[in-house]
Amino acid sequence: MRLPITKTPKCYVGGGFIRSESGRVYPINDAAGAFFANIPLCTRKDLRNAVEAAAKAGPGWAARSAYNRGQILYRLAEMLEARSAEMSEAISLTGISKKDADREVSASIDRIVHYAGWTDKYQALLGSVNPVASPHFNFTVTEPMGIIGIVAPDTAPLLALLSLVMPAITSGNTVIALASTTQPYPSILLGEMLATSDLPGGVVNLLTGERSELIPTFATHAHLRGIAAVANLEDRKTLQIGAADSVKRLKLIPSETATDWFSEKAQGLYEIRDHLESKTTWHPIGA
């Protein structure tokens, strides 16, 4: 009789699967209280390594055509669709009903497709031609900010994570995301799907671990140009103080207030705009 091969969950960073450099893990249990798996307890060093991976992937991802980015994001939706039953089981691990887990997976697939459709449209809506009192064309165009830090909530561990990640990468940014602490396993599976999709390694980097250890580094790391976080009052203060020192854009969602991640308001053009910079260019008429 052979021994079963148990799974060792790993984080997805730079297109590969890593354990924490510290070797630390924390256990998660199933709904019945039985041990399920050990999850990597990532450190500040892991976060810094992820930033390096995102920085390498950034220029290539931003340079891809909008149409090609849309194709790649749609391919990710295909990967999640193909493994939807497995993902639903991962969401159900902590006691969520199968019906609610299936609903979250379906909404997550739809959210990816939603942003895949925006890749070649947001520029036309967020850019403009500006009237000027000189013989020039004056254009406002949008550009990706760079590396965006994401701190996902414990609720809706897949849908909320994707709702924060997708608008950032739609426009050519790269992402370092800290997954749910209490329900991290869906992010582990998502990393496996990212690895088999066409998304270049380093565009999305997924970490697991304690917020109290990682949020101060998210706040102060100079190479993170923006942060979108669902955070409590103490963590919001930490992010605000650190962001003021390192000059980064913040989008903070209070964790004390319930967010309906299934709502239409949780997606759309203005979510993409939060991770863009506007640039103005001048061109002489006739040039």
Side-chain angles (χ1 to χ4, degrees):
M1 179 178 177
R2 65 183 296 273
L3 294 174
I5 302 300
T6 57
K7 185 172 184 175
T8 302
K10 301 182 185 72
C11 295
Y12 183 68
V13 173
F17 297 97
I18 67 161
R19 296 177 173 90
S20 171
E21 58 86 26
S22 68
R24 296 182 304 159
V25 296
Y26 68 100
I28 57 170
N29 299 327
D30 61 22
F35 172 78
F36 178 76
N38 284 317
I39 301 296
L41 196 60
C42 292
T43 65
R44 292 173 291 178
K45 179 65 163 57
D46 293 313
L47 197 159
R48 291 193 291 267
N49 291 343
V51 170
E52 291 182 9
K56 290 178 182 178
W61 179 241
R64 288 177 180 262
S65 69
Y67 177 69
N68 183 235
R69 285 202 301 271
Q71 288 179 308
I72 291 171
L73 298 186
Y74 188 85
R75 174 65 175 165
L76 176 59
E78 291 178 347
M79 295 295 97
L80 182 52
E81 181 79 55
R83 297 180 64 179
S84 59
E86 185 180 3
M87 182 61 83
S88 180
E89 289 180 6
I91 294 172
S92 300
L93 184 65
T94 55
I96 297 172
S97 70
K98 184 179 185 305
K99 179 180 179 182
D100 288 342
D102 288 345
R103 177 175 177 245
E104 182 172 344
V105 173
S106 295
S108 298
I109 295 168
D110 291 346
R111 189 131 302 165
I112 297 171
V113 173
H114 172 86
Y115 283 108
W118 270 116
T119 54
D120 59 355
K121 300 174 182 66
Y122 71 87
Q123 284 275 19
L125 296 173
L126 296 178
S128 65
V129 178
N130 308 312
V132 293
S134 64
H136 295 84
F137 288 118
N138 181 266
F139 300 97
T140 296
V141 296
T142 59
E143 294 181 354
M145 294 177 63
I147 307 173
I148 307 297
I150 301 293
V151 180
D154 288 328
T155 57
L158 177 66
L159 180 59
L161 176 63
L162 285 171
S163 296
L164 295 169
V165 167
M166 293 305 300
I169 66 173
T170 292
S171 55
N173 296 293
T174 54
V175 160
I176 316 295
L178 177 59
S180 164
T181 301
T182 61
Q183 301 183 73
Y185 195 62
S187 72
I188 299 292
L189 285 187
L190 178 62
E192 296 175 7
M193 296 172 195
L194 290 168
T196 55
S197 73
D198 296 328
L199 194 73
V203 174
V204 174
N205 304 275
L206 300 173
L207 302 177
T208 56
E210 290 291 341
R211 290 169 173 246
S212 58
E213 291 189 32
L214 296 177
I215 280 182
T217 305
F218 270 97
T220 57
H221 200 300
H223 290 167
L224 290 176
R225 302 309 309 140
I227 293 177
V230 181
N232 61 29
L233 180 60
E234 181 180 352
D235 288 339
R236 294 200 300 274
K237 287 181 179 178
T238 300
L239 290 167
Q240 288 167 339
I241 293 170
D245 184 58
S246 55
V247 191
K248 56 172 61 70
R249 189 184 300 178
L250 290 180
K251 177 179 180 179
L252 300 179
I253 303 171
S255 60
E256 304 91 331
T257 304
T259 299
D260 183 4
W261 295 104
F262 293 88
S263 170
E264 288 289 325
K265 295 179 180 179
Q267 63 183 19
L269 177 65
Y270 298 115
E271 306 299 315
I272 298 172
R273 186 184 63 179
D274 289 337
H275 305 300
L276 291 170
E277 294 179 341
S278 294
K279 305 290 185 181
T280 299
T281 62
W282 295 76
H283 297 279
I285 294 176

